[in-house]
Amino acid sequence: MRTLQFLLQKEFRQIFRNPAILRIIFIMPLIQLLVLPWAADYEIKNIRLAVVDHDHSSSSQKLISTINSSGYFQLYAYTPSYAQAVANLDRDQADLILEIPTGFEKNMIKENETSALIAVNAINGVKAGLGSAYLQSVIREYNNQIRTAWIQPTRFSPQPVIEVTASNWFNPLLQYKDFMVPGILVVLVTMVGSFLASLNIVKEKEIGTIEQMNVTPVKKHYFILAKLLPFWVLGLFVLSLGLLLAWAFYGIVPVGNLFVLYVYAAVYLLAVLGLGLLLSTYSENQQQAMLLSFFLIMVFILMSGLYTPIESMPTWAQYLTKLNPVSYFIQVIRMVLLKGSNLADISQQLFITTGFAIVLNTWAVVNYKKRT
């Protein structure tokens, strides 16, 4: 154990003498947690709307006013013809076109039905889909208001009314920061665990000190433990720092027990440290390790459920996410912080992540060719 103790002292000194690693550990979480949650907003606002009103009635004006006051749309143009509105769409100056036909109000009163046209600039599919849905929702609400106003109340033949009450559990106000910040925190912990660990080991290959270690009587498992344990501690430190920032800047107070979260994080870090060690065994220099880490982390993040729900992915992609350790940690951190889940609730994710840790570390140790 004295050998391990001396090796750990050497590793910690080496880490704290490297200003680049210190900046990544202390400054990167601060910047990412303060900037990304504000930029990664799922709500689409300021959708530019071009209106073509052929009716010029009080009903059409009231509809336009209702849309404009919804907070989602910005009335960019009020054009006299549909062709001019399409020209705005072609120049990317408008995102949606609403055309109100002649006789809009007259048909609504006499025929009890009317129509309107919505044309969408679908270059940005997400913005187009949400913008169209928002506009249809506003028009539907406007339609309900008119029907309610026109229906005469009567005592003998009351109209059936269904009152729907919605309740949002675990995130009552649907604050996207409450579920985005924990996900970003998982990404930070993953980068510290895999990225820095792989670079640290490969750096020793480049400067030749790993060859000196290989000819010493230091046992292989001591050497590997000394390489992994400092980043395991630093990963837990980054997690603690991120939770503190989430509470200080976003008011995110964990509903569940933090002990549950740290138990899972400890196992998760073993898994990603094993991944970092594995990458280092396949890399000859820091550039190779960096590119491999970047490729895997990008795939892990995009298929983790951080930005897109896993359930909405194609079936084959959903199967691939089962091999992604990041997706399990994002599930767990949201369950613990927002829902208050306990160890029994996350037992499945904990069991799978333990399997990742065993497989990746065993693979890395076997692949590490230490000359004795």
Side-chain angles (χ1 to χ4, degrees):
M1 291 300 293
R2 283 177 59 82
T3 305
L4 179 60
Q5 181 183 347
F6 288 131
L7 287 173
L8 286 173
Q9 287 180 1
K10 171 249 181 192
E11 291 298 330
F12 274 111
R13 285 179 182 171
Q14 191 172 339
I15 290 172
F16 286 107
R17 284 175 183 169
N18 190 337
I21 293 180
L22 294 180
R23 288 192 205 103
I24 290 175
I25 292 173
F26 291 100
I27 298 178
M28 187 173 72
L30 186 67
I31 294 177
Q32 292 205 4
L33 284 174
L34 295 184
V35 174
L36 290 184
W38 294 99
D41 190 347
Y42 285 167
E43 283 192 357
I44 305 293
K45 294 180 180 176
N46 298 323
I47 303 167
R48 294 165 298 182
L49 178 68
V51 175
V52 186
D53 185 6
H54 297 294
D55 195 50
H56 300 291
S57 62
S58 60
S59 297
S60 65
Q61 293 300 314
K62 189 176 179 181
L63 173 60
I64 296 169
S65 176
T66 303
I67 294 170
N68 202 26
S69 61
S70 66
Y72 295 109
F73 299 95
Q74 179 184 356
L75 186 57
Y76 173 76
Y78 194 85
T79 58
S81 69
Y82 182 74
Q84 292 184 16
V86 171
N88 289 323
L89 208 69
D90 289 338
R91 293 192 294 266
D92 289 330
Q93 294 173 339
D95 301 310
L96 275 85
I97 297 174
L98 172 65
E99 184 181 30
I100 302 174
T102 305
F104 175 81
E105 185 180 59
K106 179 181 176 183
N107 293 334
M108 192 162 52
I109 295 173
K110 287 189 174 180
E111 307 294 336
N112 204 24
E113 65 177 19
T114 188
S115 61
L117 172 68
I118 299 175
V120 186
N121 183 353
I123 289 180
N124 186 334
V126 176
K127 190 174 185 180
L130 287 177
S132 176
Y134 288 166
L135 187 54
Q136 291 181 48
S137 175
V138 172
I139 294 174
R140 197 178 303 116
E141 181 64 25
Y142 172 75
N143 184 36
N144 290 336
Q145 291 176 5
I146 291 177
R147 289 172 63 87
T148 304
W150 286 1
I151 292 174
Q152 297 297 323
T154 173
R155 296 179 54 184
F156 304 104
S157 58
Q159 297 294 323
V161 176
I162 299 176
E163 184 178 354
V164 179
T165 303
S167 176
N168 303 313
W169 284 52
F170 312 122
N171 187 5
L173 300 179
L174 296 179
Q175 293 285 348
Y176 73 93
K177 293 185 183 68
D178 287 0
F179 62 87
M180 184 56 74
V181 170
I184 294 172
L185 192 51
V186 171
V187 174
L188 289 173
V189 173
T190 305
M191 291 182 70
V192 170
S194 64
F195 189 65
L196 293 183
S198 63
L199 288 184
N200 187 39
I201 297 172
V202 175
K203 184 181 178 182
E204 296 230 19
K205 280 187 182 179
E206 285 188 333
I207 61 179
T209 52
I210 200 168
E211 299 297 333
Q212 298 173 10
M213 291 297 300
N214 284 339
V215 296
T216 63
V218 175
K219 295 181 180 177
K220 182 194 296 186
H221 61 274
Y222 281 164
F223 175 75
I224 292 174
L225 279 176
K227 283 293 178 188
L228 298 187
L229 283 178
F231 291 101
W232 184 80
V233 174
L234 290 174
L236 292 177
F237 172 76
V238 169
L239 176 64
S240 305
L241 179 62
L243 290 173
L244 186 64
L245 292 173
W247 167 76
F249 290 96
Y250 302 106
I252 298 177
V253 179
V255 177
N257 192 336
L258 283 180
F259 174 74
V260 177
L261 182 61
Y262 276 93
V263 167
Y264 183 86
V267 177
Y268 176 78
L269 275 167
L270 289 177
V272 293
L273 284 170
L275 176 65
L277 180 62
L278 181 64
L279 293 179
S280 69
T281 61
Y282 284 104
S283 305
E284 294 299 325
N285 51 54
Q286 293 188 69
Q287 285 183 333
Q288 291 180 9
M290 194 180 300
L291 289 173
L292 277 173
S293 299
F294 178 76
F295 169 73
L296 287 178
I297 288 177
M298 283 295 292
V299 173
F300 284 165
I301 292 173
L302 292 176
M303 301 190 69
S304 64
L306 176 61
Y307 298 106
T308 306
I310 292 175
E311 294 75 13
S312 64
M313 296 179 185
T315 306
W316 60 267
Q318 293 184 31
Y319 283 116
L320 285 181
T321 60
K322 297 184 185 301
L323 301 175
N324 182 3
V326 180
S327 65
Y328 295 102
F329 196 12
I330 287 180
Q331 291 175 29
V332 169
I333 197 170
R334 285 174 175 169
M335 289 170 68
V336 175
L337 294 186
L338 301 181
K339 192 177 177 182
S341 299
N342 54 30
L343 277 175
D345 297 326
I346 65 166
S347 58
Q348 182 184 3
Q349 289 86 350
L350 187 60
F351 177 75
I352 295 173
T353 306
T354 304
F356 277 122
I358 293 172
V359 171
L360 290 172
N361 282 285
T362 304
W363 186 357
V365 170
V366 170
N367 202 49
Y368 174 71
K369 298 180 178 59
K370 179 183 184 300
R371 285 174 289 181
T372 57

